Amino acid sequence: MPAFSLMIQGTTSDAGKSTLVTALCRLFTRRGIQVAPFKPQNMALNSAVTKDGNEIGRAQAVQAYAAGLEPHVDMNPILLKPNTDTGAQVIIQGKAVGNMNAVGYHEYKSIAKTAALDSYHRLAEQYQAVLIEGAGSPAEINLRARDIANMGFAESINCPVIIIADIDKGGVFAHLVGTLDLLSQSEQDRVIGFVINRFRGDISLLQSGLDWLEERTGKPVLGVLPFLKGFHLESEDAVAKSPIKNDSNAKLNIVIPIMPRTSNHTDWDALRLHPDVQVTLVGANETIPPADLVILPGSKSVQSDLAFLRQEGWEDYLNKHLRYGGKVIGICGGYQMLGEQLLDPLGLENHEPNTNAPGFGWIPMQTELKEEKQLKQRHGKLIFVADSKVTGYEIHSGVSQFSNATAYKHFAELENGEKEGYVSDDNQIIGTYLHGVFDHPEALQALLNWAGVDQAAAFDYDQYRDSEINRLADSAEQHMDIDALIEQCRAFQHPTTP
């Protein structure tokens, strides 16, 4: 068993659970503690592929990186990828087991919990500490029965809990007191303290509130973490639409549509951070601005997101954009949309067999949805740019085929000699199944040059991410007593629930 486990739960979604676990992974690693991140259940369209071809939430992959580990499927044994407002693809220990609606999954939770506990115990046998991230809030009364994401899991393994709240949202004391009050006595007893996240201003003005909170609840405030200006860490799920920067002098303007089921939007993080690039994200009912490059991103529901784009006027926009020399990159689902046909003979996406849809028709291929999902880490080189390395990963169910009579240029040559993707003869359109295609600095520079940026500035996304994790960890080190926290976790004793 590990020396200790600790679970971070939040008063709300986006309270800072993922970032606190990331910071603690880095801080524990600095202290020589072998630590692994873990999230029993994650609902997100942002995912990562492990070396052995399993799918986990992206946040756990980032946390593994912070701990100096290779991401592993046991770090996130249950991943739910929403494909409708009431249903999701259910992924258990890295593999899809089917689509379920909310009621069906609620009945399935007892099976899912067994998988989550199996994964946790495997990690607990290998590492000195396990840092566990909750999901949403433990005070969601309608989800308390059969809970495997928050207190239900903490009770099962008998671990201490920290509750974190985001003061930037407002109402932080109500969030913390209300959350604690809605927990059972056994659950309240395992809460060892609170963390307040994203504080701005003079801490002395907050002190009276902290004193009141500790007196009211009997729980200590373990830290008040400041708002980190300009901080960037790969998002677990929600698309952050606010621009990282607004640069009217950018060398390249990129426009990306945000669709209802956009997936893996971390694909363009390196672009949003690049000094030569301005990225504009366009949602529903928003005016589409002029662009040098349009990126069609991945999608969990390609046919319905394609219909959304047509409804929003993107087909006419793209026709005009290409006619005037603009460039387009389609990634995964966006690549499939650029083809001629989207075929769903088994009704995997639409729940009706033989549901087909015409694509935009700019790439001479058709895509058929298959039951088996392709999950691979990939590396190789860009074919249309000599000696430019590219890395990425594939997550898709569609299999694309080109017309035998059509000659076309490939985008990349991969590690096994396989040719991948498409580049149009006029050099305006690229299609690829590679997520993360902009993350390698050589590929990023080559693609910016292709898009029209002469002498693009060098930018290494991996180095940037590591520096941001260190900045986050340094802040937590300064505003929390990490050594006291470790001792508190090691000393934690709580009677197991019957």
Side-chain angles (χ1 to χ4, degrees), residues 23 27 176 179 195 321 338 372 385 393 400 430 436 444 468 494:
L27 289 173
L176 288 168
T179 298
V195 170
H321 173 76
L338 292 172
E372 185 176 357
V385 181
Y393 56 98
S400 298
I430 286 176
L444 174 60
E468 288 292 88
H494 186 281

Side-chain angles (χ1 to χ4, degrees), residues 302-317:
V302 180
Q303 287 194 20
S304 61
D305 275 350
L306 176 59
F308 167 83
L309 291 181
R310 285 195 163 109
Q311 179 182 327
E312 293 291 316
W314 280 93
E315 188 163 29
D316 290 341
Y317 173 91

